Amino acid sequence: MVTSRWTAAPARPASPRRRGAVLERAILDAALEQLSTVGWKGLTMEGVAAGAQTGKAAVYRRWPSKEDLVADALVTGLPRVEKAPDHGSVREDLLDLCRQVRRIMYSRPGAALRSVIHECDHVQVRRFEGLILGSVVEPTVNLLREVITRGIERGEVRSDAADGYVFDAIPAMMMYRSKMCASEWHDKDLEEMIDRLMLPLLRPYGA
């Protein structure tokens, strides 16, 4: 019996067709991956579709623009600090909180957010201002307020220190260093910010 030397390659099982939330999650993950690797300017809807192994039409059906897609990807992807640290010391609480914020900043969604902040023009940035405030700045300020209020109750912090300037100091410093100086926050940097900036701002008068 004569047999051909050409044989058909074994058939690959077809990947299951993804729908609904599963497909949406894959698209959002692909958008975060693109943002964290090629940045805002390099991200395309076609590239996201390819990364999610779906068609471009499936992306556009859900998100009519790049801005809409990125906003949803950031909202769903950014980690959260759910609870203010409570170590019995305002210094240790602030350090712990800063380390958690740093973890978020340098996570994949955090890198994606930084690429948006760094690369968008002033018109595009306005599209994301509410997202940045609501998902990053305001939650951090609320946790700082809780940490500082507990410090006041323990007598570590003077009573008039709980104001907007103090609450804004850490988020402003961390965002500034990340955006303008492109520098990472090492433990030593966080400790110096707490010891040289925050604690003198919070210390009771005469202490």
Side-chain angles (χ1 to χ4, degrees):
M1 179 179 179
V2 179
T3 58
S4 169
R5 63 190 179 91
W6 300 102
T7 57
R12 291 183 181 177
S15 24
R17 185 175 176 82
R18 293 166 302 167
R19 299 178 183 275
V22 174
L23 177 57
E24 289 183 4
R25 181 70 265 170
I27 294 170
L28 294 172
D29 284 345
L32 290 176
E33 180 64 25
Q34 281 236 329
L35 279 171
S36 62
T37 53
V38 302
W40 167 263
K41 292 179 180 176
L43 181 144
T44 63
M45 300 293 262
E46 293 83 355
V48 170
Q53 299 182 339
T54 189
K56 188 170 64 172
V59 180
Y60 276 109
R61 271 199 305 273
R62 292 162 173 81
W63 297 278
S65 72
K66 173 175 167 176
E67 288 81 2
D68 292 325
L69 171 59
V70 168
D72 275 0
L74 292 172
V75 167
T76 58
L78 276 170
R80 303 283 192 273
V81 181
E82 301 293 345
K83 187 177 179 183
D86 187 3
H87 300 291
S89 157
V90 71
R91 181 182 188 275
E92 296 308 312
D93 291 349
L94 289 173
L95 274 174
D96 189 341
L97 182 56
C98 286
R99 291 184 184 116
Q100 293 187 63
V101 171
R102 177 184 62 185
R103 176 180 57 82
I104 293 171
M105 287 175 64
Y106 292 99
S107 66
R108 186 180 65 164
L113 177 61
R114 283 185 287 122
S115 80
V116 169
I117 294 171
H118 296 176
E119 297 179 40
C120 283
D121 61 36
H122 69 281
V123 175
Q124 292 167 331
V125 163
R126 281 205 295 269
R127 170 68 176 81
F128 298 104
E129 281 178 354
L131 183 155
I132 294 166
L133 285 172
S135 298
V136 180
V137 177
E138 289 176 357
T140 303
V141 168
N142 289 337
L143 295 171
L144 283 167
R145 181 180 289 107
E146 187 175 337
V147 165
I148 290 171
T149 300
R150 280 203 303 260
I152 292 172
E153 292 168 354
R154 288 194 299 262
E156 292 182 87
V157 176
R158 68 177 188 274
S159 59
D160 63 348
D163 64 33
Y165 293 107
V166 171
F167 298 143
D168 286 346
I170 287 177
M173 281 290 294
M174 295 187 78
M175 293 286 282
Y176 168 78
R177 280 277 190 93
S178 173
K179 180 175 181 179
M180 302 304 295
C181 307
S183 62
E184 296 184 8
W185 282 91
H186 302 291
D187 280 350
K188 183 174 181 293
D189 300 316
L190 294 176
E191 289 169 6
E192 287 186 351
M193 177 175 63
I194 299 305
D195 291 338
R196 298 175 63 181
L197 174 67
M198 294 305 298
L199 292 185
L201 284 174
L202 301 174
R203 192 173 293 129
Y205 297 114

